[in-house]
Amino acid sequence: MDSNLDYRVLPRPHRHQIAKLSDNEKQAVINRTQGLNNNSLSAIVVISAVLLLYVAFDFGFGLSLFGLLIVVLGTAGVNYNLKNENISKNISDLEKARTEKANQERMKRDAGEAEYLTSNLLNNYNSSINLTKEVSKCLKQASIWLNKAEKEFNSNAFSPFWDAIEKAAIWLGNYNQKLKRISQNADDYYQKLNGEKHNFPDFPVKPKDLPDPSFVINEMRRITRLGQTNFQFANIWEHRRTRTAIVDGFRTLNEAVNNLGGTIENSISNLQSSISSDMARAVQEQIRTRGSIENVQRSVEISRESNEKLSASIDKRLLEQNRMLDNIQHDRKPRLKDTPSKH
């Protein structure tokens, strides 16, 4: 299994979107712009009136009033045009600023989601590898306790025999729980990668990577049967069989001992289903296709570099040959750099 955890999910491609102002927001801009322009117009009229009154002493009030009217009308026309231009510009500037902010926030959010998904998947990947190591330990411990149980049986140690059987059942129960977690991890792994652009590999655990529990399960059944078919051992068992089990997923010790084998086999089947589901196959195909594309791209790049080197070598030889011919035609002694290369 690959232990390289330098994998990432890339942010999803972002489509640039334009953030438009609502009708109410546009009206607010219009009102604000009109207010500023009206203030400017009033100021211009007041100043013009003062100046014209001052001039009136020299040219007469009739002419001054006519001049004031011309100034007001001219200023109003200019102000109207400026007002419309300012409204359009203000709306455009606000929409541009809002669009830029919205797209930056979206890109930042997408990057954060990709980072979170990457972290989650790395934990899943690493956890699944560790669980694979732990299930081997569970089977080994179960086997050790079953060997001890058989020795206790041969020594006619009634209670120690069933103690050992119970310990073996606990370890097999742990094995089953870890199998279920691996299966859940596989489902989660493929679900999160589905539709994403990434460089993650396939799920790191396959049923063939797990130790085969068949021998230990059969030993559990065989050795337990030894105790159940012996009167003295069976008598002790009758007092223990209804005791609340400390094995996850089972109500009583009897239920755990009798059904653990089938439960484990079912968990292995569920894991196989998790890594061969439609979603899993879709992600696996994406990973295989990605690898093929990367190989083709590397081949094209290598070929391009080789062609560039060959072209440069040919150009160099042609230049050297031209120099040599030029020296011969002009009866010059060739210099060292004029000698054609051999390659």
Side-chain angles (χ1 to χ4, degrees), residues 107-120:
M107 291 175 64
K108 184 177 180 180
R109 184 168 61 252
D110 289 346
E113 290 175 355
E115 190 68 25
Y116 174 79
L117 190 55
T118 296
S119 176
N120 189 286

Side-chain angles (χ1 to χ4, degrees), residues 7 25 27 41 45 63 68 79 106 132 138 154 163-164 191 194 210 216 223 245-246 248 264 267 300 320:
Y7 305 126
E25 289 171 328
Q27 188 60 49
L41 176 60
V45 170
L63 182 61
L68 177 60
N79 186 69
R106 176 65 183 273
T132 304
C138 291
N154 293 330
D163 289 340
Q191 183 178 2
N194 188 37
L210 302 172
V216 179
I223 296 173
I246 56 176
D248 289 338
I264 290 174
S267 295
V300 170
E320 292 170 342

